């Protein structure tokens, strides 16, 4: 069976790995660790196609340990027992490096079966996961391993790898010449959404699908690239003006309570595969433009964002659309951002003075001698759980930051504050 191009292109040296500069760049922590040859227990956390398996393979080579690979999706305790049985054999005389993919699919008992051998150093574990390890991996494993986060690859890194992949394919098609349009490679890199494996698979498909001309030249053009990625090219550059223009129109449409326009710009962002910008902007809008007019909006949006990130595209479009419609049809208020920005301006530009003594911490011996906490009035001892006393520093005693917006929820807040103070 022909080995997939994504495997044939897999680097065997750190300097050939694209991306992950924050970990693998010269002088960076993971580069230093692997170059030392003393490989510790590690957990690689990040999206698919970002180099986790590649780096694990290189780590095993540099450590001079016997490499075993398991996928927790279909592995069992028996698979681990089989590895353990090899620990005292000649093939594992230098120890074992176990690469465990998708470790979040192992239950507690399966994960704990590794602990004894991690402790005595007979097994070095490199586990990978696309899920947050602090939610899915048990503390006993986490306390014995270092977590490294792999990030989505940048387009420029994917382009480098794609051109390397084409050079390898040329060796398969010795009787043909391969050429390509830069725009086609750029398009495949863009729509891969940071997933190198996805991009390489698309290039491999494009090369083998392209028809050779009379001169036995296989040319990968934009039409082939679009066909093999099943994505329509769009005028969208994550670092260019169109990126910020679409995000601006997206937020302003939601702020303007136009659900149709909001969905249109969401569709543009989804088409470009820009999940990160969508999720980040929705969370901002929930507090900046809706805020206290509908306080539970941020909770709903957070749930929709979490669901979208777990599902991935194309299914992610559904909870994302739900979040957009909730925000676009919700009552609006900017009182939250106005209030915090006003408070920050005073902190950054004014002499804010000292905290009133009666508000300072008084939970230690000698606090009273320093005047801490004296004359503090505990609001719950008073009617309506409220008592008039000074909270702001003397220099800001008359400052007002929060002004309730004109909406049903904040009208109730204003009315409650009035009743509370008047008793």
């Amino acid at each position: 069976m022909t080995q997939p191009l994504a495997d044939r292109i897999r680097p065997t040296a750190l300097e050939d790995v694209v991306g992950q500069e924050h970990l693998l760049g010269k002088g960076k922590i993971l580069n230093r660790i692997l170059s030392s040859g003393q490989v510790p227990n590690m957990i690689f956390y990040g999206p698919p196609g970002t180099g986790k398996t590649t780096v694990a393979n290189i780590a095993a080579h540099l450590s001079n340990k016997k490499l075993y690979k398991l996928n927790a999706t279909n592995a069992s305790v028996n698979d681990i027992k089989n590895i353990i049985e090899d620990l005292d054999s000649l093939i594992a005389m230098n120890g074992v490096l176990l690469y465990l993919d998708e470790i979040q699919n192992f239950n507690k008992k399966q994960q704990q079966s590794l602990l004894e051998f991690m402790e005595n150093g007979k097994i070095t574990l490199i586990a990978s996961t696309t899920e947050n390890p602090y939610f899915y991996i048990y503390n006993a494993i986490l306390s014995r391993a270092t977590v490294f986060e792999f990030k989505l690859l940048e387009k420029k890194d994917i382009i480098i790898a794609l051109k390397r992949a084409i050079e390898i394919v040329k060796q398969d098609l010795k009787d043909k010449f391969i050429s390509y349009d830069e725009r086609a490679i750029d398009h495949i890199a863009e729509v891969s959404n940071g997933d190198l494996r996805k991009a390489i698979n698309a290039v491999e498909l494009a090369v083998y699908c392209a028809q050779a001309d009379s001169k036995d030249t296989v040319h990968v053009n934009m039409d082939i690239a679009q066909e093999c990625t099943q994505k329509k090219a769009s005028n969208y550059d994550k670092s260019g003006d169109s990126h910020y223009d679409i995000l601006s129109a997206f937020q302003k449409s939601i702020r303007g309570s136009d659900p149709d326009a909001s969905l249109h710009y969401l569709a543009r962002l989804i088409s470009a595969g820009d999940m990160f910008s969508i999720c980040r902007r929705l969370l901002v809008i929930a507090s900046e433009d809706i805020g206290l007019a509908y306080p539970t909006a941020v909770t709903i949006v957070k749930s929709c964002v979490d669901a979208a990130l777990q599902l991935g595209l194309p299914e992610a479009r559904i909870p994302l659309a739900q979040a957009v419609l909730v925000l676009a049809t919700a009552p609006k208020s900017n009182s939250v951002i106005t209030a915090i920005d006003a408070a920050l301006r005073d902190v950054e530009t004014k002499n804010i003075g000292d905290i009133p003594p009666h508000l300072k911490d008084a939970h230690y011996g000698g606090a009273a001698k320093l005047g801490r906490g004296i004359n503090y009035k505990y609001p719950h001892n008073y009617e309506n759980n409220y008592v008039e006393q000074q909270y702001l520093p003397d220099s800001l005693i008359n400052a007002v930051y929060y002004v309730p917006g004109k909406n049903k929820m904040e009208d109730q807040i204003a009315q409650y504050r009035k009743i509370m103070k008047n008793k």
Side-chain angles (χ1 to χ4, degrees):
M1 184 173 66
T2 304
Q3 187 181 20
L5 181 59
D7 286 334
R8 283 188 287 157
I9 194 180
R10 197 182 298 281
T12 57
L14 281 179
E15 56 268 23
D16 293 330
V17 178
V18 297
Q20 311 309 333
E21 285 293 321
H22 65 296
L23 298 176
L24 301 174
K26 187 175 181 180
K28 298 300 182 180
I29 182 169
L30 192 51
N31 186 311
R32 299 201 308 271
I33 288 172
L34 298 182
S35 297
S36 73
Q38 301 299 314
V39 179
N41 298 305
M42 297 182 287
I43 295 170
F44 293 167
Y45 159 51
T50 52
K52 300 187 295 295
T53 301
T54 296
V55 176
N57 288 336
I58 294 172
H61 174 72
L62 294 174
S63 68
N64 198 28
K65 296 178 184 289
K66 173 65 176 175
L67 175 63
Y68 289 85
K69 295 181 181 179
L70 291 178
N71 189 305
T73 304
N74 50 35
S76 66
V77 172
N78 285 334
D79 294 307
I80 296 175
K81 288 180 178 178
N82 291 335
I83 294 173
I84 292 170
E85 289 175 0
D86 288 343
L87 290 178
D88 296 322
S89 66
L90 288 176
I91 61 173
M93 59 184 299
N94 293 321
V96 163
L97 191 149
L98 171 61
Y99 177 59
L100 182 58
D101 197 13
E102 304 294 346
I103 187 177
Q104 75 275 6
N105 291 311
F106 260 13
N107 60 34
K108 187 174 184 179
K109 180 180 178 181
Q110 289 171 310
Q111 291 188 28
Q112 288 178 330
S113 66
L114 297 168
L115 292 176
E116 174 188 348
F117 304 97
M118 292 173 64
E119 288 280 8
N120 62 29
K122 289 188 175 182
I123 290 180
T124 298
L125 176 69
I126 298 183
S128 71
T129 176
T130 56
E131 307 292 345
N132 190 323
Y134 297 101
F135 295 158
Y136 290 92
I137 299 177
Y138 290 95
N139 287 334
I141 295 288
L142 286 174
S143 66
R144 293 164 174 81
T146 303
V147 176
F148 294 101
E149 183 176 2
F150 283 59
K151 298 179 180 179
L152 287 170
L153 297 181
E154 295 182 18
K155 184 169 71 174
K156 63 180 179 61
D157 296 320
I158 293 178
I159 289 174
I160 292 171
L162 292 182
K163 291 182 177 180
R164 185 194 303 162
I166 290 175
E167 292 302 314
I168 291 177
V169 175
K170 284 181 179 179
Q171 299 173 18
D172 298 338
L173 302 177
K174 295 179 181 178
D175 57 334
K176 296 181 176 66
F177 179 75
I178 300 175
S179 66
Y180 56 84
D181 290 344
E182 290 289 344
R183 285 183 64 241
I185 300 301
D186 187 270
H187 170 70
I188 292 173
E190 179 70 43
V191 302
S192 67
N193 199 30
D195 185 336
L196 180 55
R197 187 182 298 108
K198 179 180 178 181
I200 292 173
N201 290 342
V203 160
E204 184 176 25
L205 182 62
V207 169
Y208 290 117
C209 286
Q211 296 290 325
D213 61 19
S214 58
K215 297 181 180 180
D216 282 335
T217 296
V218 173
H219 185 68
V220 178
N221 57 29
M222 192 62 167
D223 290 338
I224 291 290
Q226 290 179 351
E227 186 177 5
C228 291
T229 55
Q230 295 296 300
K231 291 276 282 191
K232 179 181 177 182
S234 59
N235 182 23
Y236 187 84
D237 181 353
K238 291 181 182 179
S239 61
D241 290 342
S242 63
H243 166 74
Y244 296 104
D245 287 344
I246 292 174
L247 284 175
S248 176
F250 181 52
Q251 180 162 1
K252 288 172 181 174
S253 297
I254 293 176
R255 182 184 296 151
S257 301
D258 188 327
D260 298 312
S262 302
L263 287 172
H264 168 75
Y265 293 113
L266 172 66
R268 287 197 186 190
L269 293 164
I270 289 174
S271 179
D274 194 359
M275 283 272 289
F276 175 79
S277 294
I278 296 169
C279 295
R280 183 179 184 276
R281 191 57 64 109
L282 287 173
L283 290 168
V284 169
I285 294 170
S287 292
E288 179 180 346
D289 294 305
I290 284 79
L292 293 182
Y294 185 18
T296 55
V298 69
T299 305
I300 297 170
V301 169
K302 179 63 167 62
S303 296
C304 289
V305 164
D306 287 346
L309 292 174
Q310 186 169 354
L311 288 169
L313 291 170
E315 288 83 358
R317 74 190 189 283
I318 304 168
L320 291 176
Q322 179 179 346
V324 166
L325 289 174
V326 166
L327 296 177
T329 59
K332 306 296 189 291
S333 173
N334 70 341
S335 62
V336 172
I337 187 174
T338 300
I340 186 59
D341 283 354
L344 283 169
R345 276 195 299 274
D346 278 0
V347 168
E348 293 167 358
T349 63
K350 293 184 178 180
N351 178 13
I352 56 178
D354 197 10
I355 298 170
H358 61 281
L359 298 183
K360 291 185 177 182
D361 180 25
H363 292 86
Y364 58 91
K369 293 179 181 179
L370 296 174
R372 307 291 198 263
I374 298 174
N375 299 323
Y376 171 66
K377 299 174 183 177
Y378 187 59
H380 296 297
N381 290 337
Y382 297 84
E383 185 180 355
N384 293 329
N385 300 306
Y386 176 81
V387 61
E388 189 75 34
Q389 64 182 325
Q390 181 181 339
Y391 290 100
L392 282 167
D394 291 343
S395 58
L396 297 174
I397 197 166
N398 294 318
V400 175
Y401 300 122
Y402 172 59
V403 178
K406 299 298 182 183
N407 57 78
K408 184 177 180 180
M409 179 62 71
E410 290 186 275
D411 284 344
Q412 292 176 358
I413 292 173
Q415 187 64 25
Y416 170 73
R417 294 178 70 198
K418 184 177 180 181
I419 293 172
M420 179 181 64
K421 291 183 176 183
N422 292 338
K423 299 184 181 180

